[in-house]
Amino acid sequence: MSDKPTNKYPPKGPSRGRNSAPERLWLYGRHAVAAALANPARKFRRLAATKNAVDWLNERDEIQNWQSRIGKGFEDLRPDAIDKLLPAGAVHQGLAAEVLELPRTRLKEVCSFKDDAHRPVVILDQITDPQNIGAILRSAAAFKARAVIVQERRTPPLSGALAKAAAGALEIVPIVQAVNIARSVEALNDLGYLTAGLASSAPTAIADLPKTCPIALVMGAEGAGLRQLVGETCQTLIHIPIDAQMESLNVSVAAAISLYAVSQPT
């Protein structure tokens, strides 16, 4: 699996306390911003939009009365003015929103299964590329994953390029920011999940996973893959059969294939 980073992010500092002020972030791109407007949990500070983007928003049935979400109203700006609000090269499609981060999600709150017991969970071990994480979130939303668990200190901000790659899934799939991935795997074991780590050398193919209990897919980055302790904490290791001429798959592609495989009926 490949997770070749396009941007480097330094480790995050100590976690903020529960009473600390939420971090302000930028979302950009039509689908990322529209999904945020449709999410009642998302709080807005600013919305910058071109006339064409406003017309597009007004056509979206899922976000009727979107202007009531903005408080002071949106800023009618030209594309070049929006460019100046964002990182260089950001493709905003005429829409950018400064928002507060979503409320923190706790593992046991979102992964305890009381409804559909077969919805999977995805755990990302040291995956740092925002494009890959965004694409994984998109697949997680498509296959109704219960949550995606990421490592708090190694994950890029849940905004910007990551949110755009997620195409709105950032507002749909609960994201748990865990301090320790191995302990998160242990917690899912205790909750009744079959924790399955992806490893190219594993003897078991993903199609052979039993589907009698919910599955948590644990995915590592390029190179060493899963860290040793994380792999040892998984209940089983699995692989995706591919042609021997190719060493591995990109991690977001592997996640999509795996989510499809475990979502199929027995």
PDB file of all heavy atoms in Angstrom, residues 105-108 111 121-125 148-152 176-195 216 218 227 229-230 233-234:
ATOM      1  N   THR A 105     -14.864  13.369  18.672  1.00  0.00           N
ATOM      2  CA  THR A 105     -15.617  12.126  18.678  1.00  0.00           C
ATOM      3  C   THR A 105     -14.867  11.079  19.478  1.00  0.00           C
ATOM      4  O   THR A 105     -13.653  10.922  19.312  1.00  0.00           O
ATOM      5  CB  THR A 105     -15.827  11.620  17.237  1.00  0.00           C
ATOM      6  OG1 THR A 105     -16.502  12.639  16.485  1.00  0.00           O
ATOM      7  CG2 THR A 105     -16.666  10.361  17.222  1.00  0.00           C
ATOM      8  N   ARG A 106     -15.549  10.370  20.357  1.00  0.00           N
ATOM      9  CA  ARG A 106     -14.934   9.343  21.193  1.00  0.00           C
ATOM     10  C   ARG A 106     -15.204   7.954  20.605  1.00  0.00           C
ATOM     11  O   ARG A 106     -16.299   7.664  20.129  1.00  0.00           O
ATOM     12  CB  ARG A 106     -15.488   9.409  22.619  1.00  0.00           C
ATOM     13  CG  ARG A 106     -15.357  10.780  23.256  1.00  0.00           C
ATOM     14  CD  ARG A 106     -13.917  11.221  23.385  1.00  0.00           C
ATOM     15  NE  ARG A 106     -13.804  12.592  23.860  1.00  0.00           N
ATOM     16  CZ  ARG A 106     -12.674  13.285  23.922  1.00  0.00           C
ATOM     17  NH1 ARG A 106     -11.545  12.711  23.538  1.00  0.00           N
ATOM     18  NH2 ARG A 106     -12.657  14.527  24.352  1.00  0.00           N
ATOM     19  N   LEU A 107     -14.224   7.094  20.667  1.00  0.00           N
ATOM     20  CA  LEU A 107     -14.299   5.776  20.032  1.00  0.00           C
ATOM     21  C   LEU A 107     -15.516   4.990  20.504  1.00  0.00           C
ATOM     22  O   LEU A 107     -16.290   4.479  19.687  1.00  0.00           O
ATOM     23  CB  LEU A 107     -13.001   4.997  20.285  1.00  0.00           C
ATOM     24  CG  LEU A 107     -12.852   3.629  19.603  1.00  0.00           C
ATOM     25  CD1 LEU A 107     -11.386   3.348  19.311  1.00  0.00           C
ATOM     26  CD2 LEU A 107     -13.418   2.501  20.444  1.00  0.00           C
ATOM     27  N   LYS A 108     -15.699   4.875  21.801  1.00  0.00           N
ATOM     28  CA  LYS A 108     -16.784   4.048  22.312  1.00  0.00           C
ATOM     29  C   LYS A 108     -18.151   4.642  22.005  1.00  0.00           C
ATOM     30  O   LYS A 108     -19.144   3.911  21.955  1.00  0.00           O
ATOM     31  CB  LYS A 108     -16.606   3.821  23.813  1.00  0.00           C
ATOM     32  CG  LYS A 108     -15.420   2.915  24.140  1.00  0.00           C
ATOM     33  CD  LYS A 108     -15.339   2.582  25.610  1.00  0.00           C
ATOM     34  CE  LYS A 108     -14.179   1.633  25.895  1.00  0.00           C
ATOM     35  NZ  LYS A 108     -14.061   1.297  27.332  1.00  0.00           N
ATOM     36  N   CYS A 111     -18.436   3.702  17.963  1.00  0.00           N
ATOM     37  CA  CYS A 111     -18.143   2.337  17.502  1.00  0.00           C
ATOM     38  C   CYS A 111     -18.919   1.260  18.237  1.00  0.00           C
ATOM     39  O   CYS A 111     -18.831   0.082  17.871  1.00  0.00           O
ATOM     40  CB  CYS A 111     -16.638   2.060  17.604  1.00  0.00           C
ATOM     41  SG  CYS A 111     -15.639   3.104  16.508  1.00  0.00           S
ATOM     42  N   VAL A 121     -15.339  -0.403  10.588  1.00  0.00           N
ATOM     43  CA  VAL A 121     -14.546   0.727  11.077  1.00  0.00           C
ATOM     44  C   VAL A 121     -13.205   0.676  10.347  1.00  0.00           C
ATOM     45  O   VAL A 121     -12.709  -0.401  10.021  1.00  0.00           O
ATOM     46  CB  VAL A 121     -14.339   0.637  12.605  1.00  0.00           C
ATOM     47  CG1 VAL A 121     -13.302   1.660  13.090  1.00  0.00           C
ATOM     48  CG2 VAL A 121     -15.661   0.854  13.330  1.00  0.00           C
ATOM     49  N   VAL A 122     -12.635   1.829  10.053  1.00  0.00           N
ATOM     50  CA  VAL A 122     -11.323   1.906   9.415  1.00  0.00           C
ATOM     51  C   VAL A 122     -10.356   2.576  10.384  1.00  0.00           C
ATOM     52  O   VAL A 122     -10.675   3.621  10.961  1.00  0.00           O
ATOM     53  CB  VAL A 122     -11.383   2.700   8.099  1.00  0.00           C
ATOM     54  CG1 VAL A 122     -10.002   2.779   7.454  1.00  0.00           C
ATOM     55  CG2 VAL A 122     -12.379   2.071   7.136  1.00  0.00           C
ATOM     56  N   ILE A 123      -9.178   1.977  10.559  1.00  0.00           N
ATOM     57  CA  ILE A 123      -8.136   2.537  11.421  1.00  0.00           C
ATOM     58  C   ILE A 123      -6.914   2.820  10.568  1.00  0.00           C
ATOM     59  O   ILE A 123      -6.436   1.938   9.845  1.00  0.00           O
ATOM     60  CB  ILE A 123      -7.764   1.566  12.560  1.00  0.00           C
ATOM     61  CG1 ILE A 123      -9.007   1.149  13.343  1.00  0.00           C
ATOM     62  CG2 ILE A 123      -6.745   2.200  13.495  1.00  0.00           C
ATOM     63  CD1 ILE A 123      -8.732   0.104  14.393  1.00  0.00           C
ATOM     64  N   LEU A 124      -6.391   4.037  10.640  1.00  0.00           N
ATOM     65  CA  LEU A 124      -5.237   4.443   9.838  1.00  0.00           C
ATOM     66  C   LEU A 124      -4.015   4.597  10.738  1.00  0.00           C
ATOM     67  O   LEU A 124      -4.003   5.430  11.640  1.00  0.00           O
ATOM     68  CB  LEU A 124      -5.527   5.757   9.111  1.00  0.00           C
ATOM     69  CG  LEU A 124      -6.808   5.770   8.256  1.00  0.00           C
ATOM     70  CD1 LEU A 124      -6.936   7.115   7.541  1.00  0.00           C
ATOM     71  CD2 LEU A 124      -6.830   4.617   7.265  1.00  0.00           C
ATOM     72  N   ASP A 125      -3.002   3.788  10.480  1.00  0.00           N
ATOM     73  CA  ASP A 125      -1.790   3.783  11.291  1.00  0.00           C
ATOM     74  C   ASP A 125      -0.686   4.563  10.577  1.00  0.00           C
ATOM     75  O   ASP A 125      -0.087   4.070   9.619  1.00  0.00           O
ATOM     76  CB  ASP A 125      -1.339   2.337  11.534  1.00  0.00           C
ATOM     77  CG  ASP A 125      -0.101   2.251  12.414  1.00  0.00           C
ATOM     78  OD1 ASP A 125       0.068   3.120  13.293  1.00  0.00           O
ATOM     79  OD2 ASP A 125       0.698   1.320  12.210  1.00  0.00           O
ATOM     80  N   VAL A 148     -13.874   6.410  11.142  1.00  0.00           N
ATOM     81  CA  VAL A 148     -12.466   6.297  10.756  1.00  0.00           C
ATOM     82  C   VAL A 148     -11.637   6.789  11.935  1.00  0.00           C
ATOM     83  O   VAL A 148     -11.897   7.873  12.482  1.00  0.00           O
ATOM     84  CB  VAL A 148     -12.150   7.117   9.498  1.00  0.00           C
ATOM     85  CG1 VAL A 148     -10.643   7.137   9.216  1.00  0.00           C
ATOM     86  CG2 VAL A 148     -12.892   6.558   8.285  1.00  0.00           C
ATOM     87  N   ILE A 149     -10.670   5.983  12.335  1.00  0.00           N
ATOM     88  CA  ILE A 149      -9.813   6.322  13.471  1.00  0.00           C
ATOM     89  C   ILE A 149      -8.436   6.703  12.943  1.00  0.00           C
ATOM     90  O   ILE A 149      -7.834   5.957  12.154  1.00  0.00           O
ATOM     91  CB  ILE A 149      -9.709   5.136  14.451  1.00  0.00           C
ATOM     92  CG1 ILE A 149     -11.105   4.789  14.985  1.00  0.00           C
ATOM     93  CG2 ILE A 149      -8.759   5.462  15.604  1.00  0.00           C
ATOM     94  CD1 ILE A 149     -11.145   3.517  15.815  1.00  0.00           C
ATOM     95  N   VAL A 150      -7.939   7.863  13.333  1.00  0.00           N
ATOM     96  CA  VAL A 150      -6.635   8.345  12.887  1.00  0.00           C
ATOM     97  C   VAL A 150      -5.766   8.643  14.105  1.00  0.00           C
ATOM     98  O   VAL A 150      -6.263   8.794  15.228  1.00  0.00           O
ATOM     99  CB  VAL A 150      -6.766   9.610  12.016  1.00  0.00           C
ATOM    100  CG1 VAL A 150      -7.609   9.341  10.779  1.00  0.00           C
ATOM    101  CG2 VAL A 150      -7.365  10.777  12.821  1.00  0.00           C
ATOM    102  N   GLN A 151      -4.467   8.753  13.872  1.00  0.00           N
ATOM    103  CA  GLN A 151      -3.548   9.069  14.961  1.00  0.00           C
ATOM    104  C   GLN A 151      -3.478  10.583  15.124  1.00  0.00           C
ATOM    105  O   GLN A 151      -3.142  11.308  14.198  1.00  0.00           O
ATOM    106  CB  GLN A 151      -2.160   8.503  14.663  1.00  0.00           C
ATOM    107  CG  GLN A 151      -1.208   8.588  15.844  1.00  0.00           C
ATOM    108  CD  GLN A 151       0.088   7.849  15.582  1.00  0.00           C
ATOM    109  OE1 GLN A 151       0.389   7.501  14.461  1.00  0.00           O
ATOM    110  NE2 GLN A 151       0.859   7.623  16.625  1.00  0.00           N
ATOM    111  N   GLU A 152      -3.790  11.046  16.309  1.00  0.00           N
ATOM    112  CA  GLU A 152      -3.941  12.479  16.545  1.00  0.00           C
ATOM    113  C   GLU A 152      -2.702  13.277  16.165  1.00  0.00           C
ATOM    114  O   GLU A 152      -2.789  14.286  15.465  1.00  0.00           O
ATOM    115  CB  GLU A 152      -4.283  12.717  18.018  1.00  0.00           C
ATOM    116  CG  GLU A 152      -4.504  14.181  18.363  1.00  0.00           C
ATOM    117  CD  GLU A 152      -4.861  14.357  19.825  1.00  0.00           C
ATOM    118  OE1 GLU A 152      -4.274  13.662  20.666  1.00  0.00           O
ATOM    119  OE2 GLU A 152      -5.721  15.190  20.123  1.00  0.00           O
ATOM    120  N   VAL A 176     -12.359   9.662  14.697  1.00  0.00           N
ATOM    121  CA  VAL A 176     -11.816   9.567  16.053  1.00  0.00           C
ATOM    122  C   VAL A 176     -10.322   9.852  15.974  1.00  0.00           C
ATOM    123  O   VAL A 176      -9.590   9.172  15.254  1.00  0.00           O
ATOM    124  CB  VAL A 176     -12.048   8.168  16.655  1.00  0.00           C
ATOM    125  CG1 VAL A 176     -11.421   8.072  18.053  1.00  0.00           C
ATOM    126  CG2 VAL A 176     -13.538   7.853  16.706  1.00  0.00           C
ATOM    127  N   GLN A 177      -9.862  10.868  16.698  1.00  0.00           N
ATOM    128  CA  GLN A 177      -8.437  11.185  16.749  1.00  0.00           C
ATOM    129  C   GLN A 177      -7.859  10.525  17.999  1.00  0.00           C
ATOM    130  O   GLN A 177      -8.063  10.995  19.107  1.00  0.00           O
ATOM    131  CB  GLN A 177      -8.237  12.698  16.754  1.00  0.00           C
ATOM    132  CG  GLN A 177      -8.770  13.365  15.493  1.00  0.00           C
ATOM    133  CD  GLN A 177      -8.543  14.862  15.495  1.00  0.00           C
ATOM    134  OE1 GLN A 177      -7.420  15.331  15.532  1.00  0.00           O
ATOM    135  NE2 GLN A 177      -9.631  15.620  15.469  1.00  0.00           N
ATOM    136  N   ALA A 178      -7.150   9.433  17.786  1.00  0.00           N
ATOM    137  CA  ALA A 178      -6.656   8.622  18.889  1.00  0.00           C
ATOM    138  C   ALA A 178      -5.215   8.954  19.215  1.00  0.00           C
ATOM    139  O   ALA A 178      -4.403   9.219  18.325  1.00  0.00           O
ATOM    140  CB  ALA A 178      -6.770   7.147  18.530  1.00  0.00           C
ATOM    141  N   VAL A 179      -4.875   8.923  20.490  1.00  0.00           N
ATOM    142  CA  VAL A 179      -3.491   9.129  20.912  1.00  0.00           C
ATOM    143  C   VAL A 179      -2.656   7.896  20.590  1.00  0.00           C
ATOM    144  O   VAL A 179      -1.512   8.004  20.153  1.00  0.00           O
ATOM    145  CB  VAL A 179      -3.437   9.440  22.430  1.00  0.00           C
ATOM    146  CG1 VAL A 179      -1.989   9.507  22.903  1.00  0.00           C
ATOM    147  CG2 VAL A 179      -4.159  10.743  22.719  1.00  0.00           C
ATOM    148  N   ASN A 180      -3.220   6.708  20.772  1.00  0.00           N
ATOM    149  CA  ASN A 180      -2.483   5.458  20.610  1.00  0.00           C
ATOM    150  C   ASN A 180      -3.301   4.499  19.750  1.00  0.00           C
ATOM    151  O   ASN A 180      -4.380   4.063  20.148  1.00  0.00           O
ATOM    152  CB  ASN A 180      -2.202   4.841  21.993  1.00  0.00           C
ATOM    153  CG  ASN A 180      -1.293   3.641  21.925  1.00  0.00           C
ATOM    154  OD1 ASN A 180      -1.611   2.660  21.275  1.00  0.00           O
ATOM    155  ND2 ASN A 180      -0.166   3.706  22.624  1.00  0.00           N
ATOM    156  N   ILE A 181      -2.784   4.183  18.546  1.00  0.00           N
ATOM    157  CA  ILE A 181      -3.528   3.338  17.617  1.00  0.00           C
ATOM    158  C   ILE A 181      -3.650   1.907  18.140  1.00  0.00           C
ATOM    159  O   ILE A 181      -4.710   1.276  18.032  1.00  0.00           O
ATOM    160  CB  ILE A 181      -2.868   3.355  16.231  1.00  0.00           C
ATOM    161  CG1 ILE A 181      -3.012   4.736  15.593  1.00  0.00           C
ATOM    162  CG2 ILE A 181      -3.474   2.288  15.322  1.00  0.00           C
ATOM    163  CD1 ILE A 181      -4.434   5.157  15.296  1.00  0.00           C
ATOM    164  N   ALA A 182      -2.590   1.359  18.720  1.00  0.00           N
ATOM    165  CA  ALA A 182      -2.650  -0.014  19.235  1.00  0.00           C
ATOM    166  C   ALA A 182      -3.732  -0.136  20.303  1.00  0.00           C
ATOM    167  O   ALA A 182      -4.472  -1.133  20.347  1.00  0.00           O
ATOM    168  CB  ALA A 182      -1.292  -0.442  19.784  1.00  0.00           C
ATOM    169  N   ARG A 183      -3.851   0.857  21.168  1.00  0.00           N
ATOM    170  CA  ARG A 183      -4.892   0.804  22.197  1.00  0.00           C
ATOM    171  C   ARG A 183      -6.285   0.930  21.587  1.00  0.00           C
ATOM    172  O   ARG A 183      -7.248   0.348  22.104  1.00  0.00           O
ATOM    173  CB  ARG A 183      -4.657   1.913  23.223  1.00  0.00           C
ATOM    174  CG  ARG A 183      -3.446   1.641  24.120  1.00  0.00           C
ATOM    175  CD  ARG A 183      -3.224   2.763  25.096  1.00  0.00           C
ATOM    176  NE  ARG A 183      -2.028   2.531  25.906  1.00  0.00           N
ATOM    177  CZ  ARG A 183      -1.482   3.426  26.720  1.00  0.00           C
ATOM    178  NH1 ARG A 183      -2.045   4.628  26.844  1.00  0.00           N
ATOM    179  NH2 ARG A 183      -0.402   3.130  27.417  1.00  0.00           N
ATOM    180  N   SER A 184      -6.397   1.664  20.486  1.00  0.00           N
ATOM    181  CA  SER A 184      -7.683   1.749  19.797  1.00  0.00           C
ATOM    182  C   SER A 184      -8.063   0.396  19.219  1.00  0.00           C
ATOM    183  O   SER A 184      -9.232  -0.007  19.265  1.00  0.00           O
ATOM    184  CB  SER A 184      -7.609   2.797  18.674  1.00  0.00           C
ATOM    185  OG  SER A 184      -7.411   4.085  19.209  1.00  0.00           O
ATOM    186  N   VAL A 185      -7.078  -0.324  18.682  1.00  0.00           N
ATOM    187  CA  VAL A 185      -7.340  -1.675  18.179  1.00  0.00           C
ATOM    188  C   VAL A 185      -7.799  -2.574  19.329  1.00  0.00           C
ATOM    189  O   VAL A 185      -8.768  -3.338  19.199  1.00  0.00           O
ATOM    190  CB  VAL A 185      -6.091  -2.256  17.489  1.00  0.00           C
ATOM    191  CG1 VAL A 185      -6.328  -3.718  17.079  1.00  0.00           C
ATOM    192  CG2 VAL A 185      -5.710  -1.422  16.267  1.00  0.00           C
ATOM    193  N   GLU A 186      -7.137  -2.479  20.474  1.00  0.00           N
ATOM    194  CA  GLU A 186      -7.544  -3.254  21.652  1.00  0.00           C
ATOM    195  C   GLU A 186      -8.978  -2.923  22.057  1.00  0.00           C
ATOM    196  O   GLU A 186      -9.764  -3.827  22.400  1.00  0.00           O
ATOM    197  CB  GLU A 186      -6.597  -2.964  22.817  1.00  0.00           C
ATOM    198  CG  GLU A 186      -5.202  -3.547  22.667  1.00  0.00           C
ATOM    199  CD  GLU A 186      -4.315  -3.197  23.839  1.00  0.00           C
ATOM    200  OE1 GLU A 186      -4.695  -2.301  24.629  1.00  0.00           O
ATOM    201  OE2 GLU A 186      -3.249  -3.816  23.972  1.00  0.00           O
ATOM    202  N   ALA A 187      -9.318  -1.642  22.029  1.00  0.00           N
ATOM    203  CA  ALA A 187     -10.670  -1.234  22.414  1.00  0.00           C
ATOM    204  C   ALA A 187     -11.713  -1.840  21.474  1.00  0.00           C
ATOM    205  O   ALA A 187     -12.791  -2.268  21.906  1.00  0.00           O
ATOM    206  CB  ALA A 187     -10.775   0.290  22.419  1.00  0.00           C
ATOM    207  N   LEU A 188     -11.402  -1.891  20.183  1.00  0.00           N
ATOM    208  CA  LEU A 188     -12.334  -2.488  19.230  1.00  0.00           C
ATOM    209  C   LEU A 188     -12.424  -3.998  19.420  1.00  0.00           C
ATOM    210  O   LEU A 188     -13.503  -4.588  19.257  1.00  0.00           O
ATOM    211  CB  LEU A 188     -11.911  -2.140  17.803  1.00  0.00           C
ATOM    212  CG  LEU A 188     -12.083  -0.662  17.429  1.00  0.00           C
ATOM    213  CD1 LEU A 188     -11.447  -0.374  16.077  1.00  0.00           C
ATOM    214  CD2 LEU A 188     -13.558  -0.274  17.402  1.00  0.00           C
ATOM    215  N   ASN A 189     -11.296  -4.622  19.753  1.00  0.00           N
ATOM    216  CA  ASN A 189     -11.346  -6.052  20.104  1.00  0.00           C
ATOM    217  C   ASN A 189     -12.337  -6.281  21.241  1.00  0.00           C
ATOM    218  O   ASN A 189     -13.159  -7.201  21.202  1.00  0.00           O
ATOM    219  CB  ASN A 189      -9.963  -6.543  20.534  1.00  0.00           C
ATOM    220  CG  ASN A 189      -8.965  -6.627  19.386  1.00  0.00           C
ATOM    221  OD1 ASN A 189      -9.363  -6.736  18.230  1.00  0.00           O
ATOM    222  ND2 ASN A 189      -7.686  -6.583  19.709  1.00  0.00           N
ATOM    223  N   ASP A 190     -12.253  -5.437  22.266  1.00  0.00           N
ATOM    224  CA  ASP A 190     -13.121  -5.575  23.436  1.00  0.00           C
ATOM    225  C   ASP A 190     -14.585  -5.324  23.098  1.00  0.00           C
ATOM    226  O   ASP A 190     -15.486  -5.883  23.748  1.00  0.00           O
ATOM    227  CB  ASP A 190     -12.678  -4.616  24.540  1.00  0.00           C
ATOM    228  CG  ASP A 190     -11.315  -4.972  25.126  1.00  0.00           C
ATOM    229  OD1 ASP A 190     -10.877  -6.134  24.949  1.00  0.00           O
ATOM    230  OD2 ASP A 190     -10.690  -4.094  25.748  1.00  0.00           O
ATOM    231  N   LEU A 191     -14.834  -4.478  22.082  1.00  0.00           N
ATOM    232  CA  LEU A 191     -16.209  -4.168  21.693  1.00  0.00           C
ATOM    233  C   LEU A 191     -16.830  -5.256  20.822  1.00  0.00           C
ATOM    234  O   LEU A 191     -18.025  -5.204  20.511  1.00  0.00           O
ATOM    235  CB  LEU A 191     -16.255  -2.828  20.943  1.00  0.00           C
ATOM    236  CG  LEU A 191     -16.079  -1.572  21.796  1.00  0.00           C
ATOM    237  CD1 LEU A 191     -15.961  -0.337  20.906  1.00  0.00           C
ATOM    238  CD2 LEU A 191     -17.247  -1.402  22.772  1.00  0.00           C
ATOM    239  N   GLY A 192     -16.022  -6.226  20.401  1.00  0.00           N
ATOM    240  CA  GLY A 192     -16.559  -7.322  19.606  1.00  0.00           C
ATOM    241  C   GLY A 192     -16.242  -7.267  18.135  1.00  0.00           C
ATOM    242  O   GLY A 192     -16.786  -8.055  17.340  1.00  0.00           O
ATOM    243  N   TYR A 193     -15.369  -6.354  17.726  1.00  0.00           N
ATOM    244  CA  TYR A 193     -14.954  -6.294  16.326  1.00  0.00           C
ATOM    245  C   TYR A 193     -13.896  -7.354  16.037  1.00  0.00           C
ATOM    246  O   TYR A 193     -13.104  -7.726  16.923  1.00  0.00           O
ATOM    247  CB  TYR A 193     -14.353  -4.924  15.999  1.00  0.00           C
ATOM    248  CG  TYR A 193     -15.365  -3.819  15.864  1.00  0.00           C
ATOM    249  CD1 TYR A 193     -15.858  -3.161  16.998  1.00  0.00           C
ATOM    250  CD2 TYR A 193     -15.846  -3.425  14.624  1.00  0.00           C
ATOM    251  CE1 TYR A 193     -16.791  -2.150  16.881  1.00  0.00           C
ATOM    252  CE2 TYR A 193     -16.779  -2.405  14.499  1.00  0.00           C
ATOM    253  CZ  TYR A 193     -17.244  -1.773  15.629  1.00  0.00           C
ATOM    254  OH  TYR A 193     -18.175  -0.770  15.506  1.00  0.00           O
ATOM    255  N   LEU A 194     -13.871  -7.822  14.803  1.00  0.00           N
ATOM    256  CA  LEU A 194     -12.745  -8.592  14.299  1.00  0.00           C
ATOM    257  C   LEU A 194     -11.786  -7.587  13.691  1.00  0.00           C
ATOM    258  O   LEU A 194     -12.081  -6.979  12.648  1.00  0.00           O
ATOM    259  CB  LEU A 194     -13.196  -9.602  13.249  1.00  0.00           C
ATOM    260  CG  LEU A 194     -12.085 -10.334  12.491  1.00  0.00           C
ATOM    261  CD1 LEU A 194     -11.198 -11.126  13.445  1.00  0.00           C
ATOM    262  CD2 LEU A 194     -12.663 -11.232  11.415  1.00  0.00           C
ATOM    263  N   THR A 195     -10.654  -7.355  14.339  1.00  0.00           N
ATOM    264  CA  THR A 195      -9.691  -6.374  13.847  1.00  0.00           C
ATOM    265  C   THR A 195      -8.751  -7.063  12.864  1.00  0.00           C
ATOM    266  O   THR A 195      -8.048  -8.008  13.204  1.00  0.00           O
ATOM    267  CB  THR A 195      -8.907  -5.741  15.002  1.00  0.00           C
ATOM    268  OG1 THR A 195      -8.348  -6.769  15.834  1.00  0.00           O
ATOM    269  CG2 THR A 195      -9.810  -4.861  15.854  1.00  0.00           C
ATOM    270  N   ALA A 216     -13.102  -4.357  11.726  1.00  0.00           N
ATOM    271  CA  ALA A 216     -12.306  -3.128  11.753  1.00  0.00           C
ATOM    272  C   ALA A 216     -11.078  -3.356  10.883  1.00  0.00           C
ATOM    273  O   ALA A 216     -10.268  -4.247  11.164  1.00  0.00           O
ATOM    274  CB  ALA A 216     -11.898  -2.770  13.177  1.00  0.00           C
ATOM    275  N   VAL A 218      -7.528  -2.320   9.577  1.00  0.00           N
ATOM    276  CA  VAL A 218      -6.391  -1.546  10.082  1.00  0.00           C
ATOM    277  C   VAL A 218      -5.378  -1.426   8.958  1.00  0.00           C
ATOM    278  O   VAL A 218      -4.886  -2.434   8.450  1.00  0.00           O
ATOM    279  CB  VAL A 218      -5.762  -2.224  11.317  1.00  0.00           C
ATOM    280  CG1 VAL A 218      -4.740  -1.298  11.960  1.00  0.00           C
ATOM    281  CG2 VAL A 218      -6.848  -2.609  12.330  1.00  0.00           C
ATOM    282  N   ARG A 227       2.836  -0.812  11.972  1.00  0.00           N
ATOM    283  CA  ARG A 227       3.886  -0.941  12.974  1.00  0.00           C
ATOM    284  C   ARG A 227       3.727  -2.277  13.711  1.00  0.00           C
ATOM    285  O   ARG A 227       2.629  -2.821  13.804  1.00  0.00           O
ATOM    286  CB  ARG A 227       3.822   0.225  13.953  1.00  0.00           C
ATOM    287  CG  ARG A 227       4.321   1.538  13.350  1.00  0.00           C
ATOM    288  CD  ARG A 227       4.098   2.683  14.299  1.00  0.00           C
ATOM    289  NE  ARG A 227       2.677   2.953  14.477  1.00  0.00           N
ATOM    290  CZ  ARG A 227       2.180   3.727  15.431  1.00  0.00           C
ATOM    291  NH1 ARG A 227       2.996   4.286  16.315  1.00  0.00           N
ATOM    292  NH2 ARG A 227       0.884   3.941  15.516  1.00  0.00           N
ATOM    293  N   LEU A 229       3.723  -3.380  16.819  1.00  0.00           N
ATOM    294  CA  LEU A 229       2.769  -3.522  17.919  1.00  0.00           C
ATOM    295  C   LEU A 229       1.340  -3.465  17.414  1.00  0.00           C
ATOM    296  O   LEU A 229       0.468  -4.215  17.889  1.00  0.00           O
ATOM    297  CB  LEU A 229       3.006  -2.437  18.970  1.00  0.00           C
ATOM    298  CG  LEU A 229       2.060  -2.463  20.177  1.00  0.00           C
ATOM    299  CD1 LEU A 229       2.145  -3.791  20.907  1.00  0.00           C
ATOM    300  CD2 LEU A 229       2.369  -1.304  21.122  1.00  0.00           C
ATOM    301  N   VAL A 230       1.072  -2.595  16.449  1.00  0.00           N
ATOM    302  CA  VAL A 230      -0.279  -2.495  15.896  1.00  0.00           C
ATOM    303  C   VAL A 230      -0.659  -3.806  15.213  1.00  0.00           C
ATOM    304  O   VAL A 230      -1.749  -4.347  15.417  1.00  0.00           O
ATOM    305  CB  VAL A 230      -0.374  -1.314  14.915  1.00  0.00           C
ATOM    306  CG1 VAL A 230      -1.739  -1.305  14.215  1.00  0.00           C
ATOM    307  CG2 VAL A 230      -0.156   0.009  15.644  1.00  0.00           C
ATOM    308  N   THR A 233      -1.435  -6.514  17.652  1.00  0.00           N
ATOM    309  CA  THR A 233      -2.668  -6.293  18.395  1.00  0.00           C
ATOM    310  C   THR A 233      -3.897  -6.687  17.584  1.00  0.00           C
ATOM    311  O   THR A 233      -4.949  -6.994  18.149  1.00  0.00           O
ATOM    312  CB  THR A 233      -2.768  -4.817  18.838  1.00  0.00           C
ATOM    313  OG1 THR A 233      -1.562  -4.437  19.498  1.00  0.00           O
ATOM    314  CG2 THR A 233      -3.918  -4.597  19.804  1.00  0.00           C
ATOM    315  N   CYS A 234      -3.766  -6.686  16.245  1.00  0.00           N
ATOM    316  CA  CYS A 234      -4.879  -7.121  15.390  1.00  0.00           C
ATOM    317  C   CYS A 234      -5.148  -8.611  15.617  1.00  0.00           C
ATOM    318  O   CYS A 234      -4.225  -9.396  15.844  1.00  0.00           O
ATOM    319  CB  CYS A 234      -4.544  -6.886  13.916  1.00  0.00           C
ATOM    320  SG  CYS A 234      -4.384  -5.148  13.448  1.00  0.00           S
TER     321      CYS A 234
END
